[in-house]
């Protein structure tokens, strides 16, 4: 059959267990397999005679099979295949005495044992690679890699397939450095490697044998030049030839071979460098094309008249805007006055005043006779924002009433219908909504501005539905906001299609939050902390207690983590290579457990507690937050649903259990829930991290800094861009697998400059068909970064 990068693995591999295991890694096609990159490469394997073997150290040697036998293992319901091999000829070439050694293979499947027995018959020449062990005082290789070698002289009528044309070629192959992949208990790195190499060979015209065994064997082709040419045809280059030549990069097919079947460590890194630059160029070209396409659309110009509604609102504020707020407001005013849609990302520290900036922009749209939609991620926040906006615009003297419409999924039918009718009327006003704004029943026919709060909480299709909402063919201006700190290099990489504004200056009156890291095993400090919290409660303040889980996982799957979209993953820093370590960590504390424990402490006698999780219904969340704000329940034990936007000015203390298991940016967000009323405030990070561990080092960063940009930079270095920017919440995984937004800043800048020149000379990339296709694929798979980001 014809094989391409789009061919499903299920059509190629007879081993369905392996197909299923690969699918768990997101590998379902040949292209997915080739872009599943190893995270490191091993040193070359030394060639040694058996007499030179060192227990546990990888080595390779050539030998001749002297005998082989299959031994049934009745008690274990499987088979043991034993081979005795003699390395005398190879050892003599190294000036060492020859020896015999035992090679052992185990399997429950008779088909695998029969296949191995067919390959390793007495007299067969083989190349062996593996780490020797010892069994009953004898040297033994268990499940080594085996390459069968064409015999010399070749036997007539020999129909068997061989892996290598000669001993020297076989040794050269097995002694190469080996790529190491993120693996699991279901599929080892070695099996992943075997599968990817076999797919590469198949693409290049070599036969791939998949007999339904545990292994995948490949046949060797003598014509290396023909193979390379066929592989290059099957994997066409994406980078323009001039770019590849200027930067000394490999052809894409060569790069895949260098990464997955490296001849040397240097070749491996050269392949990685090529594919990394390819990602950068495709990403930046996609961003620039998206930006160009948006600028070509038509929007309602929202010009400012003399004594405009916006200006009167600013004059009515009971506080002074910061210089940063004024600069951003002016930039937005210029953008919205244009007849092409604004596309702006507003990043600001927690409490930096983003909501006021957004309200000013919405009043500019309303003053020009249009509607504005403010989309919040939860009903609690939508209700809170609606109330805040309503109270602020009521202060405008002499103006007609500005309609403030609230639309949430939890509204009763009559109220919902009324809200939908108000939106559909086209009357200038502000609509505050949750995900309900993305429903097909919502129509804002006179829409000029969309503001999205915490943009990473919404899916791609949801954001796009607002773009298509105006019935007059226009595209609304877009302002997306985030308090998640993103370093500037990362923002330029992921949000390069947007104009980016930063609010770094906090409004006057806010005091720095005191951050304390507490070892949970330190009972004295824990008791002192709870006494301090009780004192603050007695002074009329509030306290948040944050836990990562709702209840015990044993209670059912739903208890494993909060259903709220922002809830943390279990140990976001864990990788497959250290999964065995993470399994030994103590279980995460739960809301149910901590609420029960704290209410029994003497420090909290007569204090009422409340709990809040993503599993609670919207009306329950609203009631709980109202009771917390009023002081009826001054202690709130919650999951990370409180992370964004919850604004209770009396809250002065936050305790975060299992803080060592969170990302730094999330800790910074949670910390920002307190101190919003100008009082002294404290954040207590409860940790079970071991002394000197990376987890302890992460907490030192959050302890020592209140600078969101500095924290975000550290978070990127600890975790990588994907986790920090919220790939898991964007509706799909990013296609960027190798690009590092901090270390590769110069490379990204170079790629962006080249992309600008390419698009200036050839806007449709008609002369670079493969690059155009890659850009289209990237755009379709990464709309979260490219569309309404």
């Amino acid at each position: 059959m014809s094989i391409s990068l789009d061919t499903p693995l299920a059509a190629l591999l007879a081993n369905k267990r392996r197909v299923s295991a690969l699918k768990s890694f997101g590998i379902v096609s040949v292209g997915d397999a080739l872009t599943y990159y190893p995270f490191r490469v091993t040193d070359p394997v030394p060639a040694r005679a058996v007499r030179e073997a060192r227990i546990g150290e990888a080595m390779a040697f050539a030998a001749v099979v002297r005998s082989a036998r299959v031994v049934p293992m009745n008690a274990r319901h499987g088979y043991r295949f034993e081979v005795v091999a003699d390395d005398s000829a190879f050892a003599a070439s190294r000036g060492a005495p020859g020896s015999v050694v035992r090679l052992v293979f185990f399997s429950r499947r008779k088909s695998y044992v029969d296949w191995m027995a067919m390959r390793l018959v007495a007299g067969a020449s083989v190349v062996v690679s593996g780490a020797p062990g010892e069994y009953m005082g004898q040297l033994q290789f268990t499940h080594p890699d085996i390459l069968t070698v064409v015999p010399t002289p070749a036997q007539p009528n020999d129909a068997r397939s061989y892996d290598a044309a000669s001993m020297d070629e076989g040794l050269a192959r097995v002694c190469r450095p080996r790529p190491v992949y993120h693996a699991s208990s279901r599929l080892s790195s070695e099996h992943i490697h075997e599968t990817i190499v076999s797919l590469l060979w198949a693409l290049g015209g070599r036969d791939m044998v998949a007999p339904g065994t545990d292994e995948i064997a490949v046949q060797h082709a003598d014509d290396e030049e023909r193979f390379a040419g066929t592989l290059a045809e099957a994997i066409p280059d994406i980078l323009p030839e001039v770019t590849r030549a200027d930067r000394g990069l490999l052809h894409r097919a060569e790069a895949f071979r260098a990464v997955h079947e490296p001849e040397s460590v240097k070749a491996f890194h050269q392949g990685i460098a090529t594919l990394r630059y390819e990602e950068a160029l495709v990403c930046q070209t996609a961003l620039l094309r998206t930006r160009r396409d948006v600028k070509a659309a038509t929007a309602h110009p929202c010009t400012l008249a003399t004594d405009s509604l916006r200006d009167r609102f600013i004059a009515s504020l009971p506080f002074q805007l910061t210089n940063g707020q004024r600069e951003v407001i002016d930039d937005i005013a210029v953008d919205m006055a244009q007849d092409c849609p604004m596309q702006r990302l507003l990043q600001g520290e927690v409490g930096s005043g983003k909501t006021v900036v957004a309200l000013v922009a919405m009043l500019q749209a309303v003053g020009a006779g249009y509607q504005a939609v403010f989309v919040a991620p939860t009903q609690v926040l939508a209700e809170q924002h609606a109330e805040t906006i309503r109270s602020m615009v009521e202060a405008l003297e002499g103006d007609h009433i500005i309609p403030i419409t609230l639309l949430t999924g939890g509204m009763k039918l009559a109220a919902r219908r009324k809200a939908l009718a108000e939106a559909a009327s086209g009357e200038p006003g502000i609509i505050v909504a949750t995900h309900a704004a993305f429903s097909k029943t919502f129509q804002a026919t006179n829409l000029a501005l969309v503001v999205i709060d915490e943009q990473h909480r919404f899916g791609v299709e949801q954001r796009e539905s607002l773009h298509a909402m105006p019935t007059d063919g226009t595209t609304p201006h877009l302002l997306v906001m985030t308090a998640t700190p993103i370093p500037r290099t990362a923002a330029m990489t992921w949000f390069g299609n947007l104009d980016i504004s930063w609010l770094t200056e906090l409004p006057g009156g806010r005091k720095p939050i005191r951050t304390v890291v507490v070892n949970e095993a330190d009972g004295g400090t824990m008791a002192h902390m709870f006494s301090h919290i009780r004192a603050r409660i007695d002074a009329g303040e509030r306290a948040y207690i944050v836990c990562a889980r709702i209840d015990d996982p044993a209670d059912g799957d739903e208890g494993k983590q909060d259903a709220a979209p922002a809830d943390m993953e279990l140990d976001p820093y864990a990788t497959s290579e250290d999964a065995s370590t993470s399994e030994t960590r103590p279980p995460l504390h739960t809301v149910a457990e901590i609420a029960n424990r704290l209410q029994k402490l003497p420090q909290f006698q007569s204090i009422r507690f409340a709990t809040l999780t993503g599993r609670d219904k919207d009306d329950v969340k609203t009631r709980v937050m109202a009771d917390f704000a009023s002081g009826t329940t001054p202690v709130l034990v919650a999951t990370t649903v409180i992370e964004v936007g919850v604004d209770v000015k009396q809250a002065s203390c936050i305790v975060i259990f299992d803080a060592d298991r969170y990302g730094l940016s999330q800790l910074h967000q949670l910390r920002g829930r307190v101190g919003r009323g100008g009082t002294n405030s404290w954040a207590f990070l409860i940790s079970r991290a071991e002394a000197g561990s990376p987890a302890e080092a992460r907490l030192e960063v959050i302890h020592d800094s209140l600078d969101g940009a500095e924290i975000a930079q550290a978070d990127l270095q600890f975790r990588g861009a994907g986790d920090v920017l919220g790939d898991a919440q964007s509706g799909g995984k990013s296609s960027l697998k190798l690009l590092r937004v901090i270390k590769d800043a110069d490379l990204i800048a170079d790629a962006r400059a080249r992309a600008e020149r390419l698009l200036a000379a050839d806007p449709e990339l008609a002369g670079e068909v493969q690059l155009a296709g890659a850009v289209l694929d990237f755009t379709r798979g990464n709309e979260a970064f490219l569309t309404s980001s």
Side-chain angles (χ1 to χ4, degrees):
M1 64 177 292
S2 176
I3 300 175
S4 70
L5 294 178
D6 296 324
T7 303
L9 295 188
L12 298 175
L13 306 184
N15 189 329
K16 301 309 176 186
R17 288 188 303 169
R18 182 169 296 190
V19 171
S20 175
L22 289 167
K23 186 176 181 179
S24 69
F25 291 107
I27 304 172
V28 296
S29 69
V30 174
D32 293 334
L34 297 189
T35 55
Y36 189 76
Y37 300 119
F39 63 89
R40 68 179 179 90
V41 65
T42 65
D43 292 328
V45 175
R48 294 173 181 162
V50 172
R51 288 290 182 92
E52 300 171 311
R54 302 168 190 168
I55 300 297
E57 290 188 16
M59 59 172 283
F61 64 94
V64 176
V65 175
R66 292 305 179 208
S67 65
R69 65 172 184 155
V70 176
V71 181
M73 299 185 298
N74 296 325
R76 296 175 60 185
H77 305 290
Y79 302 88
R80 183 174 73 253
F81 181 51
E82 296 181 356
V83 177
V84 176
D86 183 348
D87 78 334
S88 296
F90 174 70
S93 70
R94 295 182 56 83
S99 183
V100 294
V101 66
R102 186 167 60 174
L103 317 176
V104 181
F105 305 84
F106 300 92
S107 179
R108 291 173 177 260
R109 304 182 65 181
K110 187 66 163 57
S111 58
Y112 169 69
V113 172
D114 290 343
W115 177 64
M116 290 294 290
M118 178 185 70
R119 300 176 71 213
L120 305 182
V121 297
S125 298
V126 296
V127 171
V128 182
S129 174
E134 190 175 6
Y135 179 70
M136 298 184 67
Q138 293 185 340
L139 196 69
Q140 175 176 293
F141 287 78
T142 303
H143 279 281
D145 293 329
I146 301 287
L147 294 182
T148 56
V149 180
V150 175
T152 305
Q155 301 297 317
N157 301 320
D158 187 352
R160 287 178 296 172
S161 300
Y162 295 91
D163 301 320
S166 66
M167 290 288 194
D168 288 341
E169 181 186 307
L171 283 168
R173 280 174 51 195
V174 300
C175 290
R176 287 177 177 177
R178 288 293 185 98
V180 182
Y181 302 81
H182 287 297
S184 70
S185 58
R186 294 181 63 193
L187 194 63
S188 68
S189 173
E190 188 57 38
H191 282 163
I192 293 172
H193 179 234
E194 289 169 354
T195 303
I196 295 175
V197 169
S198 71
L199 295 171
L200 271 172
W201 284 34
L203 281 168
R206 299 179 180 177
D207 295 331
M208 181 176 71
V209 181
T213 67
D214 288 336
E215 305 294 329
I216 292 180
V218 290
Q219 278 184 270
H220 178 67
D222 295 325
D223 192 350
E224 171 64 25
E225 185 176 346
R226 182 189 65 80
F227 169 71
T230 305
L231 188 65
E233 291 176 5
I235 308 175
D237 212 356
I238 287 177
L239 293 175
E241 182 63 31
V242 63
T243 300
R244 192 159 61 84
D246 285 350
R247 294 193 61 91
L249 303 174
L250 303 175
H251 187 283
R252 194 175 196 226
E254 292 179 299
F256 279 135
R257 286 195 75 187
V259 169
H260 296 298
E261 199 179 13
E263 293 184 354
S264 65
V265 173
K266 180 180 178 182
F268 173 84
H269 290 299
Q270 190 176 8
I272 289 291
T274 295
L275 296 169
R276 179 175 288 132
Y277 191 85
E278 176 188 290
E279 284 189 356
L281 184 66
V282 170
C283 166
Q284 293 304 310
T285 305
L287 285 166
L288 291 171
R289 287 191 66 173
T290 303
R291 184 184 182 94
R292 180 199 64 187
D293 293 344
V294 170
K295 292 296 183 183
T298 301
H300 291 299
C302 301
T303 55
L304 288 171
T306 304
D307 193 30
S308 66
L309 178 64
R310 186 207 76 156
D311 292 340
R312 292 200 301 275
F313 170 73
I314 293 174
S316 72
L317 290 173
F319 53 83
Q320 291 292 320
L321 296 174
T322 66
N323 292 332
Q325 286 174 312
R326 291 184 177 278
E327 289 177 8
V328 174
I329 286 171
D330 291 342
D331 290 340
I332 290 173
V334 172
D335 289 348
M336 290 182 61
Q338 307 299 316
D339 60 1
C340 60
M342 172 181 73
Q343 295 273 290
R344 185 170 291 276
L345 169 68
L346 176 57
Q347 179 183 322
E349 286 284 354
V350 174
S352 60
K354 297 185 297 298
T355 303
V356 171
V357 172
L359 179 52
V360 169
M362 289 189 288
L363 289 175
Q364 181 171 340
V366 173
Y370 301 107
Q371 294 171 302
V373 173
F374 185 101
V375 186
T378 68
Q379 177 168 327
V380 171
L381 293 181
E383 291 172 345
Q384 181 175 292
H385 282 308
E387 185 60 33
T388 300
I389 291 171
R390 190 173 289 112
S391 64
M392 294 182 77
V393 298
E394 282 176 355
L396 291 172
E397 296 180 0
D399 287 313
H400 67 278
I401 297 175
I402 299 170
I404 309 296
T405 302
L406 176 65
L407 177 64
T408 70
M411 298 174 71
K412 293 184 178 180
L413 183 59
R416 182 181 175 85
R417 285 177 174 172
K418 181 181 178 182
L420 290 171
E422 289 174 356
S425 70
E427 181 184 3
I430 295 172
I431 303 160
V432 182
T434 58
H435 293 71
F438 305 119
S439 69
K440 293 180 180 179
T441 58
F442 177 68
Q443 293 291 330
T445 56
N446 192 26
L447 183 61
L449 172 66
V450 174
V451 179
I452 297 182
D453 190 22
E454 289 305 318
Q455 54 83 26
H456 63 279
R457 304 299 181 93
F458 300 99
V460 177
E461 295 81 5
Q462 292 173 324
R463 293 193 294 259
E464 277 295 275
S465 68
L466 286 174
H467 268 205
M469 193 160 296
T471 57
D472 56 6
T474 61
T475 298
H477 300 286
L478 178 70
L479 175 65
V480 294
M481 306 191 298
T482 180
T484 301
I486 306 170
R488 289 175 183 259
T489 53
M492 290 303 297
T493 303
W494 263 262
F495 303 102
N497 62 311
L498 304 178
D499 296 309
I500 305 175
S501 298
W502 278 270
L503 285 178
T504 57
E505 184 181 357
L506 295 181
R510 292 206 64 177
K511 298 180 180 179
I513 302 169
R514 304 174 191 179
T515 304
V516 182
V517 178
V518 181
N519 187 324
E520 190 173 339
D522 185 351
T525 303
M526 292 284 287
H528 182 71
M529 174 189 73
F530 290 131
S531 296
H532 170 79
I533 294 172
R534 174 58 188 262
R536 303 320 309 161
I537 291 171
D538 290 342
E541 297 168 11
R542 316 280 187 272
Y544 295 107
I545 311 291
V546 179
C547 304
R549 290 187 184 274
I550 301 175
D551 48 30
D552 194 320
D555 295 338
D557 290 341
E558 289 186 352
K560 290 183 179 178
Q561 65 182 45
D562 196 343
D567 213 4
M568 65 170 288
E569 298 175 355
L570 173 59
D571 192 2
Y573 290 93
T575 62
S576 56
E577 61 190 291
D578 54 27
S580 59
T581 303
S582 64
E583 288 174 0
T584 63
R585 293 186 176 186
L588 296 167
H589 289 300
T590 69
V591 169
E593 167 211 349
I594 292 299
N596 184 54
R597 279 176 49 187
L598 296 190
Q599 290 179 84
K600 296 177 181 179
L601 293 178
Q603 292 94 328
F604 294 114
Q605 290 300 308
S606 73
I607 295 296
R608 292 186 61 187
F609 280 64
T611 62
L612 183 67
T613 73
R615 195 188 295 169
D616 294 328
K617 294 181 178 180
D618 287 335
D619 58 337
V620 174
K621 292 178 183 177
T622 301
R623 186 181 70 251
V624 168
M625 288 307 303
D627 289 345
F628 179 64
S630 68
T632 303
T633 53
V635 179
L636 179 62
V637 185
T639 58
T640 53
V641 291
I642 66 158
E643 177 186 350
V644 177
V646 173
D647 189 4
V648 178
K649 299 188 183 305
Q650 298 89 344
S652 63
C653 296
I654 184 167
V655 179
I656 306 172
F657 279 91
D658 296 304
D660 51 302
R661 309 284 282 276
Y662 289 78
L664 297 184
S665 294
Q666 190 171 33
L667 289 174
H668 184 59
Q669 282 267 53
L670 289 167
R671 179 170 59 181
R673 294 308 102 208
V674 298
R676 304 174 74 84
T679 61
N680 290 321
S681 55
W682 293 263
F684 299 98
L685 309 181
I686 312 303
S687 168
R688 289 182 280 185
E690 296 182 4
S693 66
E696 185 183 59
R698 293 197 299 268
L699 291 181
E700 282 301 312
V701 173
I702 203 80
H703 172 267
D704 295 340
S705 177
L706 292 171
D707 185 333
E710 180 182 327
I711 290 167
Q713 181 111 346
D715 212 9
L716 273 172
Q717 292 169 337
F718 277 121
R719 286 204 288 172
D723 291 323
V724 174
L725 297 178
D727 287 355
Q729 298 154 356
S730 66
K733 292 184 178 179
S734 168
S735 294
L736 298 177
K737 299 179 179 180
L738 297 173
L739 205 60
R740 304 162 302 182
V741 294
I742 293 179
K743 294 182 180 179
D744 296 330
D746 292 341
L747 182 148
I748 293 167
D750 181 271
R752 189 173 185 86
R754 289 180 185 273
E756 288 173 344
R757 293 197 295 269
L758 275 170
L759 291 173
D762 185 4
E764 301 305 319
L765 297 177
E768 298 292 344
V769 177
Q770 295 300 327
L771 176 60
V775 168
L776 180 61
D777 289 342
F778 181 89
T779 304
R780 287 172 175 169
N782 295 271
E783 296 93 336
F785 303 127
L786 299 170
T787 308
S788 310
S789 292

